[in-house]
Amino acid sequence: MPGTLAEKFCFVQSAIPKNITKTLIDRAHSGKRFVRKIGDPQWWEFDFVTPPLRYDEAMELYAFVCTQGGQYGSFFVPNLFPQIATGLSAKVAPNILVGADSFTLSSSNYMPGDFIQFSSHDKAYLVTNVTSTHVSIYPKLKAAVGSGSPIKYGEDVLFKVSLQNDENDLLIDAKKGKYSSVKLDLVEDI
């Protein structure tokens, strides 16, 4: 069972979310471009940098990273991005089929740019549009969601991730004394 990154390391100085999709591209001699997708591949990647940590904290985080076995292990990272919506009224999903890119709610105040997650699977989704009755998400739903499934949002979203590399190092900046920032390159593990 994957562990969860300790809450004390979930305050970041900077975070870069990356949306990764794969497109097959071929260009003819004439310059015409041919593009297609096989399936609907999509995952999130993140580059996180912590604020300066005390040496003991940096080494504790580094020890956690080392125990992951490089790209082999996976763990959960709480959503580090600020929640835009407040006072959400719709916290339970209707029945949603695989491949859907929106769902109906009788009332909601979700906001584009917020991440959500359905309790039935680990994938995180980005809210892209909201009307009075529909919430659009990206990417398309990867697994069916049963009626009544709780919808996680804000800090309740847990990204299941693994490290981007098998080699992970820690730079201790001598100029900062006993403080160091730690950079983590993570990829969603779906």
Side-chain angles (χ1 to χ4, degrees):
M1 173 113 181
T4 301
L5 187 64
E7 189 173 320
K8 66 181 170 182
F9 299 123
C10 294
F11 299 100
V12 295
Q13 180 172 303
S14 65
I16 302 172
K18 298 176 190 175
N19 172 45
I20 307 298
T21 61
K22 295 295 179 181
T23 305
L24 299 173
I25 301 173
D26 193 17
R27 192 170 293 276
H29 185 69
S30 67
K32 181 162 175 60
R33 193 173 76 115
F34 299 93
V35 297
R36 68 184 176 130
K37 288 196 180 275
I38 298 176
D40 193 15
Q42 187 280 338
W43 61 91
W44 304 109
E45 292 183 0
F46 305 99
D47 295 340
F48 294 126
V49 179
T50 68
L53 301 172
R54 292 188 326 263
Y55 178 72
D56 62 314
E57 293 172 324
M59 290 306 294
E60 181 182 350
L61 179 54
Y62 183 61
F64 176 82
V65 167
C66 289
T67 64
Q68 299 308 306
Q71 298 176 70
Y72 180 75
S74 61
F75 56 99
F76 292 100
V77 173
N79 183 7
L80 303 174
F81 302 100
Q83 177 180 316
I84 302 167
T86 58
L88 291 171
S89 56
K91 300 175 184 173
V92 179
N95 191 41
I96 313 170
L97 301 176
V98 172
D101 62 0
S102 68
F103 55 95
T104 303
L105 290 174
S106 58
S107 65
S108 80
N109 56 341
Y110 289 96
M111 295 292 290
D114 271 340
F115 284 99
I116 65 171
Q117 188 173 44
F118 303 100
S119 63
S120 58
H121 58 284
D122 293 331
K123 178 74 180 129
Y125 299 91
L126 184 67
V127 174
T128 59
N129 191 34
V130 179
T131 67
S132 60
T133 58
H134 280 79
V135 176
S136 297
I137 57 172
Y138 177 82
K140 292 180 180 178
L141 200 63
K142 302 291 185 188
V145 175
S147 181
S149 295
I151 301 173
K152 299 182 208 174
Y153 58 93
E155 62 189 23
D156 294 330
V157 172
L158 292 173
F159 291 97
K160 185 178 180 190
V161 298
S162 62
L163 297 168
Q164 284 267 21
N165 302 297
D166 283 329
E167 296 178 17
N168 293 280
D169 54 19
L170 176 65
L171 176 65
I172 305 296
D173 188 349
K175 293 179 185 176
K176 293 183 181 177
K178 295 186 177 186
Y179 291 89
S180 178
S181 294
V182 178
K183 183 176 188 263
L184 295 176
D185 297 327
L186 307 173
V187 60
E188 187 177 28
D189 184 10
I190 48 176

